[in-house]
Amino acid sequence: MSAAGTARETPAEVVARLRAAFRTGRTGDLSWRTDQLTRLRALLTERGDALAEALHADLGKSRKEAYRTEIDFTVREIDHTLERLAGWLEPEPAPVPAVLAGATARTVQDPLGVVLVIAPWNYPVQLLLAPVAGALAAGNTVVAKPSELAPATSAALARLLPEYLDGDTLTVVEGGVPETTALLAERFDHIFYTGNGTVGRIVMAAAAKHLTPVTLELGGKSPAFVDRDTDLKTVAARLVSGKFLNTGQTCVAPDYVLTDPETAPALTDALAAAVEEQFGTDASQSPEYGRIVNERHFDRLVGLLDSGRTVTGGAHDRDTKYIAPTVLADVAPDSPVMQEEIFGPVLPVLTVDGLDEAIGFINDRDKPLALYAFTESPGVRERLLAETSSGGVGMGLPLAHLTVSDLPFGGVGESGMGNYHGRYSLETFSHRKAVLDTPLG
């Protein structure tokens, strides 16, 4: 357990200390909020290389990828918030009915109190600090729980956060399942969890004991529909970039591809060519291609490689936790690779007779975190938007919707509940309080 001067605190002591700090009222001041966000930004810009080294140790991420997807990503989110926070916090007037003539109505954003943020291992900097930034912007005190499965990054964050931020209002708690379980036994005012649905259910059950609201950022099998008569070279390049970023260990990565039988052979050829163009003939030698987080996930992924005909990839090395970027063709809907979220560098291509069958295929499964479509047809776009449900939609480019701070990021159904980024983070970590002011005279 790490915090400025508070080593060996119990979870109950941590929460009590943070609640006492919250009750002083200082976290509600705009100046405190902006100061903490500015300090968090300074951590990222001044100590980014230390975080990049930790990310390389945990996941084999290149320095370029670490900055692009984690460090700079979070800096942009903080900058977006700092620029707009004062305006977001302005009370919003509401009209009153004639029977209340003379009264005024408004809503104000109240901080919630003590927030718990539990981060995953795949983007262990961004997915801890972006929610933390939102919680601080909303005026809360925070317990930050990094992932123990990214130990180097967890240690770096536990060391650096107390150096930059107010230790009385933000505490880092490291550890595994026992530490997280002990935290979840405490009463928080909001719990923000990013990870898988199995643990999400545990978090939600623990939160229910205290009627604590939760945000669950989960995952699922995000489909990509490729229409006939599209530019397959462009489509393949974009699918490969999105799928194999962070070695496929991305919650919104395209999980599988749907296309028609006539398009599939040309598409799989284009995907193989795009893999070689991006990573070379041997991706294990590419400085921009990472590794699987641990042996358990490696073994699980290797077990999925026989789910179809290998178009490219398939090579793997347990000693280095390397699995080549792999594209599978002739994949059956009931194959092992289609029974779980892949969360690794394996991209299955399945065939459907057309848009109707594609929509039915998607709707027969749990609602995904993202849906991607590559089509020139406005009608196809509209039908996919109207007739499917997903956390978000990307037309023509995977993953990019996460980079738009004015768009909410979150899931629906099995892929999660609640959302954040930009103003939506403020809404998540605040209570919108109704105020009616009626004159006495």
Side-chain angles (χ1 to χ4, degrees), residues 16-32:
R17 177 171 54 80
L18 293 175
R19 197 172 303 284
F22 177 77
R23 286 175 176 166
T24 67
R26 74 176 190 267
T27 66
D29 292 340
L30 177 60
S31 60
W32 181 90

Side-chain angles (χ1 to χ4, degrees), residues 29-61:
D29 292 340
L30 177 60
S31 60
W32 181 90
R33 304 184 196 199
T34 56
D35 178 63
Q36 294 303 298
L37 291 175
T38 302
R39 289 170 179 268
L40 185 57
R41 187 188 194 282
L43 184 162
L44 291 161
T45 56
E46 294 171 7
R47 309 301 283 276
D49 283 355
L51 294 172
E53 289 170 9
L55 289 165
H56 185 267
D58 287 329
L59 291 153
K61 290 192 184 188

Side-chain angles (χ1 to χ4, degrees), residues 66-205:
Y67 270 88
R68 179 166 62 95
T69 66
E70 302 229 40
I71 299 162
D72 290 346
F73 182 102
T74 310
V75 169
R76 287 194 303 273
E77 179 74 8
I78 292 170
D79 286 345
H80 181 86
T81 300
L82 282 170
E83 183 179 340
R84 296 163 175 80
L85 183 57
W88 292 342
L89 291 171
E90 285 292 322
E92 293 189 11
V96 296
V99 69
L100 293 173
T104 59
R106 66 190 185 278
T107 61
V108 296
Q109 298 274 33
D110 262 1
L112 294 173
V114 185
V115 169
L116 172 62
V117 177
I118 305 174
W121 52 261
N122 59 326
Y123 290 88
V125 172
Q126 180 213 135
L127 294 179
L128 181 72
L129 297 188
V132 164
L136 294 172
N140 299 288
T141 58
V142 183
V143 175
K145 171 62 182 68
S147 174
E148 73 280 8
L149 298 181
T153 307
S154 178
L157 290 165
R159 183 179 75 253
L160 294 173
L161 279 165
E163 290 183 20
Y164 282 80
L165 298 183
D166 180 349
D168 290 329
T169 56
L170 183 139
T171 296
V172 180
V173 175
E174 291 192 274
V177 172
E179 289 79 8
T180 304
T181 301
L183 279 174
L184 288 171
E186 299 302 316
R187 181 177 68 83
F188 289 91
D189 297 288
H190 194 94
I191 298 174
F192 189 105
Y193 168 77
T194 304
N196 62 63
T198 300
V199 179
R201 286 171 168 80
I202 295 170
V203 170
M204 195 169 182

Side-chain angles (χ1 to χ4, degrees), residues 160-319:
L160 294 173
L161 279 165
E163 290 183 20
Y164 282 80
L165 298 183
D166 180 349
D168 290 329
T169 56
L170 183 139
T171 296
V172 180
V173 175
E174 291 192 274
V177 172
E179 289 79 8
T180 304
T181 301
L183 279 174
L184 288 171
E186 299 302 316
R187 181 177 68 83
F188 289 91
D189 297 288
H190 194 94
I191 298 174
F192 189 105
Y193 168 77
T194 304
N196 62 63
T198 300
V199 179
R201 286 171 168 80
I202 295 170
V203 170
M204 195 169 182
K209 294 176 183 177
H210 302 290
L211 293 181
T212 299
V214 297
T215 301
L216 301 179
E217 298 293 345
L218 308 178
K221 296 185 74 63
S222 296
F225 175 72
V226 178
D227 206 359
R228 65 183 76 239
D229 301 325
T230 55
D231 179 350
L232 294 183
K233 182 177 181 181
T234 298
V235 170
R238 293 182 181 181
L239 279 171
V240 164
S241 293
K243 174 64 179 182
F244 299 114
L245 180 72
N246 198 27
T247 328
Q249 298 167 123
T250 303
C251 59
V252 287
D255 191 272
Y256 63 93
V257 177
L258 297 174
T259 193
D260 63 85
E262 293 75 25
T263 303
L267 175 60
T268 54
D269 287 347
L271 288 167
V275 167
E276 182 172 343
E277 183 172 345
Q278 183 159 334
F279 300 110
T281 55
D282 181 2
S284 70
Q285 302 303 308
S286 170
E288 295 303 320
Y289 189 71
R291 297 297 183 266
I292 305 305
V293 66
N294 57 34
E295 286 83 2
R296 181 169 66 87
H297 283 284
F298 175 92
D299 293 341
R300 178 185 62 82
L301 288 164
V302 168
L304 304 179
L305 293 175
D306 293 331
S307 294
R309 175 174 57 85
T310 303
V311 177
T312 188
H316 50 88
D317 180 1
R318 195 173 192 270
D319 289 341

